[in-house]
Amino acid sequence: CGPAYSYLQQRPPFCLHVTCMLLLHLGSSFSNRVVVPLLRERHFKFRGGLLPCFYAHYNVTWCNERAVEVPLGRWYLQQAATEPGRVLVVGHVLGHYGNHDHAVLDKYETAARVINEDITTWQTEERFDLILSISTFEHIGFDDDAAGGSADKILAAIAACRKLLNPQGRLAITVPLGYNPDLDRLIECNALGEDRGWFLLRHGPREWKEVARHQAMGTPFGRPFPFANGLLVAEFDASD
């Protein structure tokens, strides 16, 4: 498998685009059997630690931002170290890559333990130690059926999540840069309202590095590599 392995490790961005699209068309079974076993294990640094990149056949994670988002999501769940009932996930993403006991809120996707509600209008007496969202907030008001500007809807969703936190709880989200112009402007103008933030920049097909804010700003979506080339990991504390 030498030539094939070399191709998968070193192919240029255009070839990576074509390969990803072809594998999405061929289906997850082919990707899982043929591609994933050829990929070299990689890690990325986050907040002083080292996390493994995640390769899965579903959504060909090895050629997009899920390679780092899934480990980030799992890291937050481990850090929470709390009862499943004290964790809420907004957006049904992690459920595609393993079984979890926590509740999931998703306006559209249907699955076990998924509540089909809009976070901005959902009513509950529960309060959470962790609310986690993986690549979901960039879609709010942008490519869903919501009317009006995306920025206001995103800020409303963040405010709604913060109100559902316990006093020491936190909201953690990952969003791709360059996908939603309204969201990008909020980030660039420091108007998103995060209490803490970290940026990851893609330096190769499966190479991600933590960088400063100014290094990540302006990163386009979809080039030079398929899908996200930059990510923001943002944390928000509970509302006062």
Side-chain angles (χ1 to χ4, degrees), residues 103-116:
V104 179
L105 193 76
D106 192 297
K107 190 175 179 179
Y108 300 104
E109 287 199 34
T110 56
R113 293 184 59 83
V114 173
I115 304 165
N116 293 130

Side-chain angles (χ1 to χ4, degrees), residues 13 16-17 37 52 56 62 73 79 83 97 100 121 139 159 201 213 215:
L16 185 64
H17 276 275
W62 51 269
Q79 292 294 311
E83 299 176 8
Y97 307 104
H100 301 282
T121 57
H139 299 292
L201 197 62
R213 172 185 288 269
Q215 294 173 288

Side-chain angles (χ1 to χ4, degrees), residues 72-91 94-95 99-106 113-115 119 122 124 126-134 161 164-166 168-172:
L72 287 168
R74 291 176 173 176
W75 182 86
Y76 272 104
L77 291 175
Q78 292 170 355
Q79 292 294 311
T82 187
E83 299 176 8
R86 306 289 290 275
V87 174
L88 173 69
V89 172
V90 178
L94 291 178
N99 296 321
H100 301 282
D101 295 330
H102 49 258
V104 179
L105 193 76
D106 192 297
R113 293 184 59 83
V114 173
I115 304 165
I119 186 61
W122 186 49
T124 179
E126 296 291 330
R127 292 299 178 264
F128 303 94
D129 294 332
L130 172 68
I131 299 179
L132 176 66
S133 182
I134 303 296
C161 287
L164 295 176
L165 292 170
N166 285 320
Q168 301 303 315
R170 60 180 168 173
L171 162 67

Side-chain angles (χ1 to χ4, degrees), residues 29-112:
S29 178
F30 177 86
S31 174
N32 192 43
R33 293 197 312 268
V34 178
V35 178
V36 172
L38 298 178
L39 300 177
R40 179 184 303 163
E41 183 179 359
R42 293 184 183 273
H43 294 77
F44 64 99
K45 293 181 180 179
F46 179 67
R47 297 179 60 177
L50 202 61
L51 297 177
C53 288
F54 177 75
Y55 304 147
H57 59 276
Y58 180 79
N59 201 26
V60 290
T61 66
W62 51 269
C63 71
N64 61 49
E65 61 271 26
R66 293 291 188 273
V68 292
E69 286 182 314
V70 173
L72 287 168
R74 291 176 173 176
W75 182 86
Y76 272 104
L77 291 175
Q78 292 170 355
Q79 292 294 311
T82 187
E83 299 176 8
R86 306 289 290 275
V87 174
L88 173 69
V89 172
V90 178
H92 185 232
V93 174
L94 291 178
H96 292 290
Y97 307 104
N99 296 321
H100 301 282
D101 295 330
H102 49 258
V104 179
L105 193 76
D106 192 297
K107 190 175 179 179
Y108 300 104
E109 287 199 34
T110 56

Side-chain angles (χ1 to χ4, degrees), residues 211-229:
V211 299
R213 172 185 288 269
H214 73 274
Q215 294 173 288
M217 289 297 92
T219 300
F221 187 91
R223 63 183 192 275
F225 304 104
F227 308 101
N229 284 254

